[in-house]
Amino acid sequence: MVLTGLRGVGKTVLLNSFRSMAMQRLWGTGKIEARPDQSIRRPIASALHMAVRELAPRHRAPDRIDQFLGVLKAFAIRDPAAPKGSYAAHLGIDVPASRGRADSGDLEIDLTELLADAASVASDLAVGIALFVDEMQDVPAADVSALCAACHELSQTGGPLIVVGAGLPHLPSVLSASKSYSERLFRYVPIDRLDRDAADLALLAPAWREGADFEQAALDALYAAADGYPYFVQAYGKVTWDVAAASPVTAADVGVAGPVAAGELAVGFFGSRYERATPAEREYMRAMAQLGDEPVPTAQVAEELGRKPSSVSPARDSLIKKGLIYSSERGLIAFTVPHFGRFLRAQPA
Ligand SMILES: Nc1ncnc2c1ncn2[C@@H]1O[C@H](COP(=O)(O)OP(=O)(O)OP(=O)(O)O)[C@@H](O)[C@H]1O
Ligand SMILES: [Mg+2]
């Protein structure tokens, strides 16, 4: 399964709750957070190490575990970027690295073999392994391709190992650009804003647990402010809760809390991201913001800046790499952060 959505819609929260569900069923679990320019070889090795360690105490044949750990170690130390010697020790596997499996240096082959072996250890216990990959759009292109191939192989053999990814809305196109069959390989689940009932429940359920309630007008005002985005529901809800002196929470409480929450978001959620951009990238994002809140053609952004498309494409590419914007369809770009355009338009030039 692959979850996609804008910043702050709850993808990581969902991955974590899936992980808890898997653990409750006694599955082995591991999680990585992908980073641009970093091979997934070592993070995957650590995550699978964790997953198999969860299973090991229940396994009746310790030598099967050791055999797997030998393969895992061989896989991990095959990383060309690993400092010689030290990394294997760091991984904390005291079994010697084995030879001839998952250690070819070709990530596609190695990952396919490693995942198959991990799945087979889980099969012994009649459970599975769940591997979670957050920020999946940041997995380097060659590694995405290897990961898809390994998942494809697993789906053919029916090994009980699942990969659950999460990332920005362009993740499906990143995956299908790498392997065209990935469209059928994963179940894509777009995560979007909460509808009105869900947003209300997010506020009411914890309040009810404290014996408190919200006036209808307070809920109306909060929905108007948060627009159903979970992170904003949290931000506005928190300040409102702190401001309200008594139950029920009123629209007046929201009126006092709103500007405070907006100020906190301007610094923490929007500002921290804006700070990460260079002057040229900021200029690019301001031009995007001027064009409205829908995805815009890149050519139009260049036009807004009075520049040639080729001269602004480095700024666009680095913003994509920083995860601040994404390319929604061919030639169209949009902010990954909800309400970012609105935030930029409110900034003094
Ligand atoms: N089910 C939920 N219950 C309560 N709060 C939630 C839930 N989902 C999301 N949130 C709130 O939204 C915030 C952002 O969620 P999360 O970090 O999972 O988003 P994300 O989609 O992973 O964003 P990003 O793309 O920035 O990583 C959480 O810290 C929490 O405040
Ligand atoms: Mg996240």
Side-chain angles (χ1 to χ4, degrees):
M1 184 190 288
V2 167
L3 310 174
T4 60
L6 297 177
R7 293 283 173 213
V9 290
K11 302 179 295 295
T12 300
V13 167
L14 270 172
L15 279 192
N16 292 341
S17 70
F18 289 165
R19 187 176 185 184
S20 308
M21 288 160 70
M23 286 167 104
Q24 268 167 20
R25 290 177 183 216
L26 303 176
W27 282 35
T29 67
K31 184 175 164 191
I32 74 167
E33 187 178 312
R35 300 219 177 95
D37 306 321
Q38 186 196 55
S39 170
I40 58 169
R41 186 180 280 266
R42 280 195 270 172
I44 292 272
S46 303
L48 281 180
H49 189 202
M50 173 89 73
V52 168
R53 271 206 330 226
E54 287 167 3
L55 302 181
R58 282 180 280 128
H59 204 290
R60 295 225 185 94
D63 51 317
R64 280 273 286 152
I65 301 288
D66 285 354
Q67 195 185 4
F68 175 75
L69 292 177
V71 173
L72 181 68
K73 190 173 196 169
F75 171 86
I77 60 183
R78 201 63 183 78
D79 184 355
K84 282 274 170 283
S86 62
Y87 173 63
H90 177 73
L91 199 64
I93 298 178
D94 0 305
V95 175
S98 63
R99 275 181 181 215
R101 193 145 172 90
D103 64 350
S104 73
D106 177 326
L107 187 64
E108 181 164 326
I109 295 171
D110 295 352
L111 203 52
T112 303
E113 292 179 348
L114 185 73
L115 295 188
D117 286 7
S120 133
V121 169
S123 295
D124 295 346
L125 290 164
V127 291
I129 287 180
L131 187 60
F132 299 93
V133 182
D134 205 356
E135 303 292 348
M136 196 175 190
Q137 75 284 340
D138 285 341
V139 175
D143 292 24
V144 164
S145 164
L147 187 58
C148 289
C151 289
H152 191 224
E153 183 66 26
L154 272 169
S155 71
Q156 306 279 307
T157 57
L161 186 149
I162 58 163
V163 172
V164 184
L168 294 173
H170 64 296
L171 177 55
S173 54
V174 169
L175 295 174
S176 48
S178 142
K179 296 277 189 207
S180 55
Y181 57 69
S182 65
E183 279 161 37
R184 284 162 286 131
L185 188 57
F186 296 108
R187 181 149 72 91
Y188 291 100
V189 183
I191 309 297
D192 208 337
R193 312 181 232 202
L194 302 175
D195 62 23
R196 178 65 200 260
D197 288 345
D200 286 358
L201 190 62
L203 297 160
L204 289 169
W208 287 337
R209 284 199 292 272
E210 301 290 328
D213 211 338
F214 281 72
E215 258 184 7
Q216 187 59 38
L219 293 173
D220 293 345
L222 281 167
Y223 194 73
D227 201 19
Y229 284 105
Y231 191 78
F232 298 158
V233 173
Q234 171 69 26
Y236 285 92
K238 178 192 180 293
V239 181
T240 302
W241 181 260
D242 289 346
V243 159
S247 175
V249 177
T250 64
D253 294 329
V254 181
V256 174
V260 179
E264 287 177 0
L265 287 170
V267 176
F269 191 68
F270 299 117
S272 65
R273 292 183 156 86
Y274 189 62
E275 298 294 315
R276 276 167 34 208
T278 66
E281 292 162 5
R282 290 178 189 184
E283 199 188 13
Y284 192 92
M285 292 193 292
R286 281 170 179 279
M288 276 176 69
Q290 290 312 316
L291 296 168
D293 293 318
E294 295 302 310
V296 290
T298 53
Q300 210 174 319
V301 182
E303 199 176 299
E304 173 77 18
L305 287 163
R307 311 255 298 274
K308 281 201 204 112
S310 59
S311 80
V312 297
S313 59
R316 182 201 57 206
D317 293 348
S318 54
L319 284 167
I320 292 177
K321 200 161 180 190
K322 286 182 181 172
L324 288 165
I325 66 173
Y326 70 100
S327 166
S328 60
E329 312 161 28
R330 201 161 277 284
L332 293 187
I333 43 158
F335 291 113
T336 59
V337 176
H339 294 183
F340 204 61
R342 195 187 290 185
F343 162 76
L344 291 175
R345 287 191 297 273
Q347 297 304 297

